[in-house]
Amino acid sequence: MPFEKVRVRFAPSPTGPLHIGGVRTAIFNYLFAKKHNGNFILRIEDTDQNRFVSGAEEYILESLKWLNIEPDEGVGKGGSFGPYRQSERKDIYQKYAHQLISDGHAYYAFDTPSELENMRNRLKSEKHSNQQYNAKTRVNMLNSLSLSQAKVQQKLDNNDPYVIRLMLPENKEIKFQDAVLGDFVFHSSQLDDKILFKSDGMPTYHLANVVDDHLMEISHVIRGSEWTNSTPCHILLYRYLGWEKEIPVFAHMPLLLKPDGQGKLSKRDGDRLGFPVFPLNWKSQETSEISKGYKESGYSSEAFLNFLVLLGWNPGTDQEIFSLTELINSFSIEQIGKSGSKFDLDKAKWFNHQYLQKKPISELREEFLVTLIEKGINHSHLNIDKILELVRERATFTSDFWELTNYFFIAPTSYDSKVIKKRWKENTPKILTDIIVILSALNNFQAYEIETIIKQHINTQNLNMGQVLSSLRLTIVGSASGPSIFDIMVLLSKEESIMRIQNGINNIKK
Ligand code: GLU
C-alpha cells in the first residue's frame, strides 16, 4: 500500500438530508479508520451550487454527532489538510484543470446546450448505440481539439462559456480492483469525455473529488456503488495528474434495497411504506413538510448504528449485537457482501428492543418521568424503577412505556368487556371477597407469598385457576394484559390492590 496511514473520508454533497445509505457509508468509513488507527475525515462536496440545500451541512454534522462517529478532521473540526469544504478550494482545482490541458489530457469545449442536443439527436438518428461526447464524436464538435488555437484564444478572450473536458483515450482498457466488488474492466469507448471544470470557476465532482482525495492523502475510498462507473475516469485522472503510484484502494458499498429487494431504497419508499429513511427529522424548506428521523421515532443511536452495519457487513458469526468498540475491532472491508441488502424494519425494531433491555434504568426513568410530568401524573408513592424493570421486556421504544404502565398510575375505571364475558362468573365477587380477606391478613406482601397463598386457596376450594386469576387481574389492571399480576400487586401496595379488587367487585357487572 502506498500510504503509511489509513485516511478515509466521508464526502457527502449538501443536497438534502443524509439518506440512511449515506449514513451507512459514513459508519463503514469510521469503523475502518478506527480499526486501523487512522483518520476519519468529513469533506463537504458542495461544488454543484444548483443543488445546494441550506441546512444540509448542519444536518450531516448533527447526524454524525448523534451516531457518535464524529470526524477526526474536516468540516466542523479543522485539520492540516483543509479547507474541507470544496467551495473554498476553487483555486486548487483550477490549477489542476489547466495542468491537464497543457499536458494534453483535457481540452476546452464551447458547445452550447443546443449544439450538444443536436449531436445526440444526429447520433440517435444514425442509430449509434451511444451518443456520448467521446474520442469519436469530439472531432466534430466545438472544442480546442477541433478549432484553431487562435479561434480558441478568441473565444476565451470573449468570455464565451466553456467547459474543460477530460480527453479519454480512444481504445484503452481501464482496469481496477475493487476491495468489495472485485475486478472491473472498462473500455474507454464505453465512457465519455467527462466535464471537469466549468467557466463559472467551479470544478465538477470528478475533478474535485480526485484532487482532494490525493491532496488529503486518502488511502481508501469507501463509497456507494453508484460511483463504480465513475471510477475509471478517476483512475485516468490520477494517471494524467502524475499520481498513479498513489491511487487509493477503492471499496464500493452495495446498495441498500427496498424491503422487497426490488431496487434501491429511496426517500419516497420511506414515505410510502411508513418508516424513516433519515437519521434525524428533516424539515423541507420549500414545503415545510417534516420527514421523520430514526432519532425522533424513538431509536437509540447505538441500535440504529448496529442495525445499519449489519445491513451489508457480515461478521462471519451469529453475533448480532455489537458495541461500537466491538464493531471497530471486528470490522473488515472483506466481510462486506457483494450484493445489496434488503431493508428490514422489523429487524431495526428488534435491535432497538435489544438495546432497550440493556439501557441503564436511570436513563429510562429520566425519559419516562418527562412523560409523567407532561401527563400531570403523581407518582411519588410508586417505585418507577421497579415498574420499568417489570415491563421493559415488552417495550421496543421508550414511548411504549406509558401504554405498558398506565394502570399503575390510574386505577381502572372501565373493564375489558371480553374478559368479563369469558371469565367473570356469578360466584366471582364472592371468590374475590375471600381473596381480599386472605390478602388483608398477609404480612409479608411479596410476589412469592401472594402467589402461594392465592393459589393455595384456589386449589383447596377447587376453583378454576385461570378464571380466578383473570378476574383478579381484571379488577387490578382493567384488562387481561401485563406482566405477573403478583408483581404488579406488590408494586401497587397492599392497600391499593385491595381497594382495586373491591372496586372491581362493586363495579363489574356481567
Ligand atoms: N459527493 C459524493 C456523494 O455525495 C461523494 C462520492 C464519493 O465518495 O466519492 O455521494
Side-chain angles (χ1 to χ4, degrees):
M1 191 173 82
F3 299 92
E4 269 168 33
K5 191 175 160 87
V6 164
R7 291 176 54 80
V8 293
R9 84 306 192 267
F10 176 50
S13 299
T15 53
L18 200 53
H19 173 272
I20 48 176
V23 177
R24 192 188 58 165
T25 301
I27 300 171
F28 284 162
N29 272 287
Y30 174 89
L31 295 178
F32 186 74
K34 296 297 137 186
K35 163 110 189 200
H36 298 282
N37 294 319
N39 273 17
F40 171 56
I41 296 150
L42 174 67
R43 185 171 74 222
I44 297 289
E45 301 208 325
D46 57 349
T47 53
D48 190 349
Q49 295 294 322
N50 296 329
R51 295 181 61 218
F52 180 83
V53 171
S54 83
E57 183 181 302
E58 291 76 6
Y59 182 92
I60 292 163
L61 286 165
E62 270 173 47
S63 302
L64 300 184
K65 188 165 174 195
W66 179 57
L67 288 160
N68 197 20
I69 55 166
E70 287 187 84
D72 303 299
E73 219 182 287
V75 169
K77 179 83 185 176
S80 44
F81 292 79
Y84 293 93
R85 213 178 267 115
Q86 289 188 327
S87 57
E88 292 165 22
R89 300 169 63 82
K90 285 201 278 192
D91 298 346
I92 304 176
Y93 311 122
Q94 181 139 20
K95 176 181 133 203
Y96 289 107
H98 288 120
Q99 181 186 319
L100 286 166
I101 294 188
S102 51
D103 291 349
H105 296 304
Y107 58 90
Y108 291 107
F110 301 95
D111 317 273
T112 61
S114 71
E115 281 160 348
L116 291 169
E117 178 77 22
N118 289 344
M119 173 192 92
R120 281 191 286 269
N121 289 339
R122 179 171 51 78
L123 292 171
K124 229 187 243 168
S125 67
E126 289 169 11
K127 307 255 180 291
H128 290 275
S129 58
N130 90 39
Q131 294 100 39
Q132 289 176 330
Y133 206 113
N134 61 18
K136 280 218 168 65
T137 55
R138 66 189 172 219
V139 287
N140 299 318
M141 303 300 289
L142 277 184
N143 52 52
S144 55
L145 304 174
S146 62
L147 300 170
S148 69
Q149 216 175 338
K151 188 85 192 149
V152 170
Q153 198 52 52
Q154 188 196 346
K155 280 183 166 298
L156 292 176
D157 292 344
N158 268 350
N159 284 332
D160 283 1
Y162 67 82
V163 295
I164 296 177
R165 285 182 182 269
L166 178 65
M167 189 171 149
L168 283 190
E170 188 165 358
N171 251 323
K172 267 238 155 71
E173 278 186 345
I174 304 147
K175 299 182 185 167
F176 70 93
Q177 202 185 26
D178 189 278
V180 172
L181 303 176
D183 290 337
F184 280 90
V185 183
F186 284 84
H187 198 272
S188 61
S189 60
Q190 304 167 290
L191 307 168
D192 64 337
D193 287 0
K194 290 244 176 319
I195 298 177
L196 302 176
F197 199 83
K198 299 189 197 146
S199 46
D200 65 2
M202 275 293 192
T204 61
Y205 158 71
H206 303 289
L207 181 67
N209 188 269
V210 167
V211 166
D212 285 349
D213 281 348
H214 178 75
L215 297 181
M216 295 181 184
E217 295 179 13
I218 299 302
S219 60
H220 296 72
V221 168
I222 302 172
R223 63 183 170 196
S225 60
E226 64 271 32
W227 300 106
T228 325
N229 290 344
S230 299
T231 307
C233 158
H234 297 179
I235 291 193
L236 287 178
L237 279 171
Y238 278 99
R239 206 173 280 169
Y240 295 160
L241 288 165
W243 303 331
E244 180 148 26
K245 290 208 173 66
E246 293 129 49
I247 296 182
V249 174
F250 290 101
H252 288 94
M253 304 298 114
L255 295 176
L256 268 188
L257 304 173
K258 296 179 203 290
D260 62 6
Q262 303 293 312
K264 186 177 164 182
L265 184 69
S266 73
K267 172 185 168 342
R268 266 164 291 131
D269 291 320
D271 296 343
R272 189 170 58 89
L273 300 168
F275 58 80
V277 291
F278 301 125
L280 311 176
N281 271 5
W282 170 262
K283 184 170 175 189
S284 156
Q285 289 200 335
E286 288 147 31
T287 61
S288 287
E289 207 182 302
I290 293 183
S291 305
K292 266 273 185 192
Y294 278 84
K295 180 180 176 204
E296 292 80 0
S297 303
Y299 288 81
S300 76
S301 61
E302 295 90 348
F304 176 60
L305 184 141
N306 194 157
F307 160 69
L308 271 187
V309 171
L310 288 196
L311 278 181
W313 175 70
N314 181 346
T317 65
D318 289 342
Q319 184 177 349
E320 291 189 276
I321 303 295
F322 288 86
S323 68
L324 190 54
T325 314
E326 284 176 312
L327 284 173
I328 292 169
N329 292 335
S330 331
F331 185 76
S332 81
I333 288 185
E334 289 71 35
Q335 284 168 310
I336 290 174
K338 281 193 199 330
S339 48
S341 311
K342 276 190 234 168
F343 180 85
D344 180 352
L345 186 67
D346 288 337
K347 198 71 197 184
K349 287 185 183 161
W350 180 85
F351 273 102
N352 210 58
H353 173 81
Q354 297 295 318
Y355 275 81
L356 192 90
Q357 305 315 307
K358 295 194 303 178
K359 260 200 181 175
I361 201 72
S362 56
E363 265 180 51
L364 299 181
R365 184 206 317 131
E366 222 165 277
E367 272 185 60
F368 187 55
L369 288 182
V370 176
T371 312
L372 293 183
I373 290 167
E374 271 170 16
K375 294 191 183 290
I377 298 286
N378 172 20
H379 57 82
S380 51
H381 56 296
L382 289 166
N383 186 330
I384 300 291
D385 287 6
K386 287 206 169 137
I387 292 176
L388 294 179
E389 282 294 8
L390 192 59
V391 300
R392 67 150 52 167
E393 66 180 17
R394 292 154 193 262
T396 300
F397 301 105
T398 48
S399 58
D400 294 340
F401 280 135
W402 174 246
E403 185 65 37
L404 290 168
T405 63
N406 58 58
Y407 56 83
F408 281 101
F409 307 97
I410 305 169
T413 49
S414 64
Y415 301 90
D416 187 327
S417 57
K418 277 202 205 99
V419 184
I420 300 177
K421 201 165 165 211
K422 196 162 161 222
R423 300 296 206 176
W424 196 269
K425 304 290 167 200
E426 219 163 291
N427 62 350
T428 305
K430 160 85 179 77
I431 297 168
L432 293 179
T433 308
D434 291 346
I435 287 180
I436 290 181
V437 174
I438 293 167
L439 293 176
S440 308
L442 184 64
N443 285 327
N444 192 7
F445 199 74
Q446 295 303 323
Y448 177 77
E449 281 69 16
I450 303 170
E451 178 170 1
T452 311
I453 203 161
I454 290 182
K455 286 189 173 168
Q456 226 170 41
H457 176 73
I458 294 171
N459 285 332
T460 52
Q461 299 296 307
N462 250 334
L463 303 172
N464 179 325
M465 184 73 73
Q467 203 172 308
V468 176
L469 293 182
S470 298
S471 306
L472 177 67
R473 177 182 290 276
L474 187 67
T475 62
I476 287 174
V477 175
S479 72
S481 62
S484 152
I485 188 62
F486 311 111
D487 287 329
I488 296 174
M489 288 165 79
V490 174
L491 292 177
L492 282 173
S493 82
K494 182 165 151 179
E495 292 66 35
E496 176 72 15
S497 301
I498 289 175
M499 200 174 82
R500 288 190 184 192
I501 302 170
Q502 189 59 58
N503 277 345
I505 296 170
N506 297 344
N507 297 324
I508 297 173
K509 301 273 171 295
K510 191 95 188 161

PDB file of all heavy atoms in Angstrom, residues 9-13 25 43 45 86 205 209 213 221-224 226-227 234, ligand 1:
ATOM      1  N   ARG A   9     -12.329   9.198   3.968  1.00  0.00           N
ATOM      2  CA  ARG A   9     -13.188  10.382   4.032  1.00  0.00           C
ATOM      3  C   ARG A   9     -14.619   9.993   3.740  1.00  0.00           C
ATOM      4  O   ARG A   9     -14.916   9.066   2.990  1.00  0.00           O
ATOM      5  CB  ARG A   9     -12.688  11.456   3.069  1.00  0.00           C
ATOM      6  CG  ARG A   9     -13.112  11.372   1.611  1.00  0.00           C
ATOM      7  CD  ARG A   9     -12.839  10.084   0.936  1.00  0.00           C
ATOM      8  NE  ARG A   9     -12.983  10.093  -0.499  1.00  0.00           N
ATOM      9  CZ  ARG A   9     -14.096   9.767  -1.155  1.00  0.00           C
ATOM     10  NH1 ARG A   9     -15.167   9.387  -0.518  1.00  0.00           N
ATOM     11  NH2 ARG A   9     -14.125   9.810  -2.483  1.00  0.00           N
ATOM     12  N   PHE A  10     -15.516  10.720   4.394  1.00  0.00           N
ATOM     13  CA  PHE A  10     -16.919  10.668   4.036  1.00  0.00           C
ATOM     14  C   PHE A  10     -17.155  11.995   3.341  1.00  0.00           C
ATOM     15  O   PHE A  10     -16.805  13.045   3.875  1.00  0.00           O
ATOM     16  CB  PHE A  10     -17.768  10.516   5.301  1.00  0.00           C
ATOM     17  CG  PHE A  10     -19.243  10.541   5.047  1.00  0.00           C
ATOM     18  CD1 PHE A  10     -19.798   9.722   4.066  1.00  0.00           C
ATOM     19  CD2 PHE A  10     -20.095  11.364   5.779  1.00  0.00           C
ATOM     20  CE1 PHE A  10     -21.156   9.737   3.810  1.00  0.00           C
ATOM     21  CE2 PHE A  10     -21.454  11.380   5.533  1.00  0.00           C
ATOM     22  CZ  PHE A  10     -21.981  10.568   4.551  1.00  0.00           C
ATOM     23  N   ALA A  11     -17.708  11.927   2.107  1.00  0.00           N
ATOM     24  CA  ALA A  11     -17.711  13.135   1.276  1.00  0.00           C
ATOM     25  C   ALA A  11     -19.103  13.466   0.737  1.00  0.00           C
ATOM     26  O   ALA A  11     -19.323  13.496  -0.463  1.00  0.00           O
ATOM     27  CB  ALA A  11     -16.733  12.945   0.124  1.00  0.00           C
ATOM     28  N   PRO A  12     -20.053  13.721   1.620  1.00  0.00           N
ATOM     29  CA  PRO A  12     -21.408  13.964   1.132  1.00  0.00           C
ATOM     30  C   PRO A  12     -21.550  15.322   0.446  1.00  0.00           C
ATOM     31  O   PRO A  12     -20.779  16.240   0.709  1.00  0.00           O
ATOM     32  CB  PRO A  12     -22.240  13.942   2.411  1.00  0.00           C
ATOM     33  CG  PRO A  12     -21.293  14.388   3.475  1.00  0.00           C
ATOM     34  CD  PRO A  12     -19.944  13.860   3.077  1.00  0.00           C
ATOM     35  N   SER A  13     -22.524  15.398  -0.429  1.00  0.00           N
ATOM     36  CA  SER A  13     -22.888  16.682  -1.022  1.00  0.00           C
ATOM     37  C   SER A  13     -24.074  17.218  -0.239  1.00  0.00           C
ATOM     38  O   SER A  13     -25.005  16.462   0.049  1.00  0.00           O
ATOM     39  CB  SER A  13     -23.281  16.487  -2.484  1.00  0.00           C
ATOM     40  OG  SER A  13     -22.178  15.958  -3.181  1.00  0.00           O
ATOM     41  N   THR A  25     -22.528   4.406   4.749  1.00  0.00           N
ATOM     42  CA  THR A  25     -21.197   4.647   4.178  1.00  0.00           C
ATOM     43  C   THR A  25     -20.311   5.373   5.191  1.00  0.00           C
ATOM     44  O   THR A  25     -19.140   5.042   5.370  1.00  0.00           O
ATOM     45  CB  THR A  25     -21.317   5.486   2.894  1.00  0.00           C
ATOM     46  OG1 THR A  25     -22.141   4.776   1.982  1.00  0.00           O
ATOM     47  CG2 THR A  25     -19.976   5.751   2.260  1.00  0.00           C
ATOM     48  N   ARG A  43     -15.518  15.614   4.423  1.00  0.00           N
ATOM     49  CA  ARG A  43     -15.334  16.626   3.389  1.00  0.00           C
ATOM     50  C   ARG A  43     -16.702  16.933   2.789  1.00  0.00           C
ATOM     51  O   ARG A  43     -17.460  16.016   2.472  1.00  0.00           O
ATOM     52  CB  ARG A  43     -14.404  16.073   2.308  1.00  0.00           C
ATOM     53  CG  ARG A  43     -14.078  17.111   1.252  1.00  0.00           C
ATOM     54  CD  ARG A  43     -12.992  16.615   0.309  1.00  0.00           C
ATOM     55  NE  ARG A  43     -13.463  15.629  -0.622  1.00  0.00           N
ATOM     56  CZ  ARG A  43     -12.787  14.529  -0.967  1.00  0.00           C
ATOM     57  NH1 ARG A  43     -11.613  14.264  -0.422  1.00  0.00           N
ATOM     58  NH2 ARG A  43     -13.277  13.690  -1.842  1.00  0.00           N
ATOM     59  N   GLU A  45     -18.782  18.161  -0.239  1.00  0.00           N
ATOM     60  CA  GLU A  45     -18.616  18.317  -1.685  1.00  0.00           C
ATOM     61  C   GLU A  45     -19.745  19.200  -2.218  1.00  0.00           C
ATOM     62  O   GLU A  45     -20.784  18.724  -2.672  1.00  0.00           O
ATOM     63  CB  GLU A  45     -18.572  16.946  -2.358  1.00  0.00           C
ATOM     64  CG  GLU A  45     -17.423  16.104  -1.795  1.00  0.00           C
ATOM     65  CD  GLU A  45     -16.860  15.090  -2.762  1.00  0.00           C
ATOM     66  OE1 GLU A  45     -17.617  14.540  -3.561  1.00  0.00           O
ATOM     67  OE2 GLU A  45     -15.631  14.848  -2.691  1.00  0.00           O
ATOM     68  N   GLN A  86     -15.424  22.005  -0.397  1.00  0.00           N
ATOM     69  CA  GLN A  86     -14.850  22.169  -1.735  1.00  0.00           C
ATOM     70  C   GLN A  86     -15.053  23.565  -2.310  1.00  0.00           C
ATOM     71  O   GLN A  86     -14.210  24.048  -3.068  1.00  0.00           O
ATOM     72  CB  GLN A  86     -15.417  21.102  -2.678  1.00  0.00           C
ATOM     73  CG  GLN A  86     -14.856  19.721  -2.343  1.00  0.00           C
ATOM     74  CD  GLN A  86     -15.227  18.653  -3.342  1.00  0.00           C
ATOM     75  OE1 GLN A  86     -16.309  18.703  -3.917  1.00  0.00           O
ATOM     76  NE2 GLN A  86     -14.354  17.687  -3.543  1.00  0.00           N
ATOM     77  N   TYR A 205     -17.728  17.249  -9.824  1.00  0.00           N
ATOM     78  CA  TYR A 205     -17.440  16.234  -8.815  1.00  0.00           C
ATOM     79  C   TYR A 205     -16.137  15.481  -9.122  1.00  0.00           C
ATOM     80  O   TYR A 205     -15.288  15.309  -8.245  1.00  0.00           O
ATOM     81  CB  TYR A 205     -18.630  15.260  -8.746  1.00  0.00           C
ATOM     82  CG  TYR A 205     -18.283  13.910  -8.172  1.00  0.00           C
ATOM     83  CD1 TYR A 205     -18.000  13.762  -6.815  1.00  0.00           C
ATOM     84  CD2 TYR A 205     -18.203  12.782  -8.989  1.00  0.00           C
ATOM     85  CE1 TYR A 205     -17.659  12.532  -6.296  1.00  0.00           C
ATOM     86  CE2 TYR A 205     -17.858  11.549  -8.465  1.00  0.00           C
ATOM     87  CZ  TYR A 205     -17.587  11.428  -7.121  1.00  0.00           C
ATOM     88  OH  TYR A 205     -17.234  10.208  -6.608  1.00  0.00           O
ATOM     89  N   ASN A 209     -13.113  15.721  -6.587  1.00  0.00           N
ATOM     90  CA  ASN A 209     -13.033  14.520  -5.763  1.00  0.00           C
ATOM     91  C   ASN A 209     -11.632  13.889  -5.843  1.00  0.00           C
ATOM     92  O   ASN A 209     -11.023  13.543  -4.821  1.00  0.00           O
ATOM     93  CB  ASN A 209     -14.107  13.557  -6.273  1.00  0.00           C
ATOM     94  CG  ASN A 209     -14.289  12.336  -5.408  1.00  0.00           C
ATOM     95  OD1 ASN A 209     -13.640  11.335  -5.650  1.00  0.00           O
ATOM     96  ND2 ASN A 209     -15.145  12.420  -4.408  1.00  0.00           N
ATOM     97  N   ASP A 213      -8.956  13.895  -2.856  1.00  0.00           N
ATOM     98  CA  ASP A 213      -8.531  12.610  -2.291  1.00  0.00           C
ATOM     99  C   ASP A 213      -7.007  12.521  -2.316  1.00  0.00           C
ATOM    100  O   ASP A 213      -6.383  12.026  -1.379  1.00  0.00           O
ATOM    101  CB  ASP A 213      -9.142  11.437  -3.077  1.00  0.00           C
ATOM    102  CG  ASP A 213     -10.598  11.191  -2.674  1.00  0.00           C
ATOM    103  OD1 ASP A 213     -11.033  11.772  -1.659  1.00  0.00           O
ATOM    104  OD2 ASP A 213     -11.298  10.433  -3.372  1.00  0.00           O
ATOM    105  N   VAL A 221     -10.908   4.722  -0.575  1.00  0.00           N
ATOM    106  CA  VAL A 221     -12.151   5.405  -0.926  1.00  0.00           C
ATOM    107  C   VAL A 221     -13.290   4.414  -0.711  1.00  0.00           C
ATOM    108  O   VAL A 221     -13.444   3.457  -1.462  1.00  0.00           O
ATOM    109  CB  VAL A 221     -12.098   5.877  -2.394  1.00  0.00           C
ATOM    110  CG1 VAL A 221     -13.472   6.326  -2.860  1.00  0.00           C
ATOM    111  CG2 VAL A 221     -11.086   7.009  -2.548  1.00  0.00           C
ATOM    112  N   ILE A 222     -14.027   4.645   0.357  1.00  0.00           N
ATOM    113  CA  ILE A 222     -15.153   3.759   0.674  1.00  0.00           C
ATOM    114  C   ILE A 222     -16.420   4.554   0.380  1.00  0.00           C
ATOM    115  O   ILE A 222     -16.686   5.564   1.034  1.00  0.00           O
ATOM    116  CB  ILE A 222     -15.102   3.342   2.171  1.00  0.00           C
ATOM    117  CG1 ILE A 222     -13.770   2.653   2.472  1.00  0.00           C
ATOM    118  CG2 ILE A 222     -16.284   2.453   2.523  1.00  0.00           C
ATOM    119  CD1 ILE A 222     -13.528   2.365   3.959  1.00  0.00           C
ATOM    120  N   ARG A 223     -17.159   4.139  -0.638  1.00  0.00           N
ATOM    121  CA  ARG A 223     -18.330   4.919  -1.043  1.00  0.00           C
ATOM    122  C   ARG A 223     -19.376   4.014  -1.671  1.00  0.00           C
ATOM    123  O   ARG A 223     -19.151   2.818  -1.871  1.00  0.00           O
ATOM    124  CB  ARG A 223     -17.911   6.013  -2.025  1.00  0.00           C
ATOM    125  CG  ARG A 223     -17.333   5.476  -3.321  1.00  0.00           C
ATOM    126  CD  ARG A 223     -16.874   6.613  -4.229  1.00  0.00           C
ATOM    127  NE  ARG A 223     -16.113   6.102  -5.360  1.00  0.00           N
ATOM    128  CZ  ARG A 223     -15.333   6.867  -6.131  1.00  0.00           C
ATOM    129  NH1 ARG A 223     -15.194   8.152  -5.868  1.00  0.00           N
ATOM    130  NH2 ARG A 223     -14.700   6.347  -7.154  1.00  0.00           N
ATOM    131  N   GLY A 224     -20.529   4.599  -1.989  1.00  0.00           N
ATOM    132  CA  GLY A 224     -21.642   3.824  -2.530  1.00  0.00           C
ATOM    133  C   GLY A 224     -21.348   3.287  -3.928  1.00  0.00           C
ATOM    134  O   GLY A 224     -20.566   3.878  -4.686  1.00  0.00           O
ATOM    135  N   GLU A 226     -22.963   3.377  -6.507  1.00  0.00           N
ATOM    136  CA  GLU A 226     -23.378   4.216  -7.648  1.00  0.00           C
ATOM    137  C   GLU A 226     -22.179   4.951  -8.267  1.00  0.00           C
ATOM    138  O   GLU A 226     -22.281   5.501  -9.357  1.00  0.00           O
ATOM    139  CB  GLU A 226     -24.489   5.199  -7.255  1.00  0.00           C
ATOM    140  CG  GLU A 226     -24.131   6.251  -6.221  1.00  0.00           C
ATOM    141  CD  GLU A 226     -24.361   5.793  -4.779  1.00  0.00           C
ATOM    142  OE1 GLU A 226     -24.221   4.587  -4.495  1.00  0.00           O
ATOM    143  OE2 GLU A 226     -24.660   6.654  -3.930  1.00  0.00           O
ATOM    144  N   TRP A 227     -21.054   4.929  -7.569  1.00  0.00           N
ATOM    145  CA  TRP A 227     -19.868   5.620  -8.092  1.00  0.00           C
ATOM    146  C   TRP A 227     -18.905   4.697  -8.827  1.00  0.00           C
ATOM    147  O   TRP A 227     -17.862   5.134  -9.311  1.00  0.00           O
ATOM    148  CB  TRP A 227     -19.131   6.357  -6.949  1.00  0.00           C
ATOM    149  CG  TRP A 227     -20.010   7.358  -6.303  1.00  0.00           C
ATOM    150  CD1 TRP A 227     -20.604   7.257  -5.080  1.00  0.00           C
ATOM    151  CD2 TRP A 227     -20.473   8.590  -6.856  1.00  0.00           C
ATOM    152  NE1 TRP A 227     -21.404   8.342  -4.842  1.00  0.00           N
ATOM    153  CE2 TRP A 227     -21.334   9.185  -5.922  1.00  0.00           C
ATOM    154  CE3 TRP A 227     -20.233   9.252  -8.074  1.00  0.00           C
ATOM    155  CZ2 TRP A 227     -21.964  10.405  -6.139  1.00  0.00           C
ATOM    156  CZ3 TRP A 227     -20.865  10.478  -8.292  1.00  0.00           C
ATOM    157  CH2 TRP A 227     -21.712  11.025  -7.335  1.00  0.00           C
ATOM    158  N   HIS A 234     -11.813   8.440 -12.753  1.00  0.00           N
ATOM    159  CA  HIS A 234     -10.963   8.881 -11.646  1.00  0.00           C
ATOM    160  C   HIS A 234      -9.556   8.286 -11.770  1.00  0.00           C
ATOM    161  O   HIS A 234      -8.559   8.957 -11.530  1.00  0.00           O
ATOM    162  CB  HIS A 234     -11.589   8.489 -10.300  1.00  0.00           C
ATOM    163  CG  HIS A 234     -12.917   9.153 -10.078  1.00  0.00           C
ATOM    164  ND1 HIS A 234     -13.688   8.955  -8.969  1.00  0.00           N
ATOM    165  CD2 HIS A 234     -13.617  10.037 -10.853  1.00  0.00           C
ATOM    166  CE1 HIS A 234     -14.799   9.664  -9.061  1.00  0.00           C
ATOM    167  NE2 HIS A 234     -14.771  10.325 -10.197  1.00  0.00           N
TER     168      HIS A 234
HETATM  169  N1  GLU B   1     -20.146  13.767  -3.130  1.00  0.00           N
HETATM  170  C1  GLU B   1     -20.343  12.375  -3.449  1.00  0.00           C
HETATM  171  C2  GLU B   1     -21.651  11.927  -2.833  1.00  0.00           C
HETATM  172  O1  GLU B   1     -22.395  12.722  -2.366  1.00  0.00           O
HETATM  173  C3  GLU B   1     -19.179  11.586  -2.929  1.00  0.00           C
HETATM  174  C4  GLU B   1     -18.899  10.334  -3.643  1.00  0.00           C
HETATM  175  C5  GLU B   1     -17.550   9.794  -3.198  1.00  0.00           C
HETATM  176  O2  GLU B   1     -17.472   9.405  -2.030  1.00  0.00           O
HETATM  177  O3  GLU B   1     -16.645   9.815  -3.984  1.00  0.00           O
HETATM  178  O4  GLU B   1     -22.003  10.795  -2.793  1.00  0.00           O
END
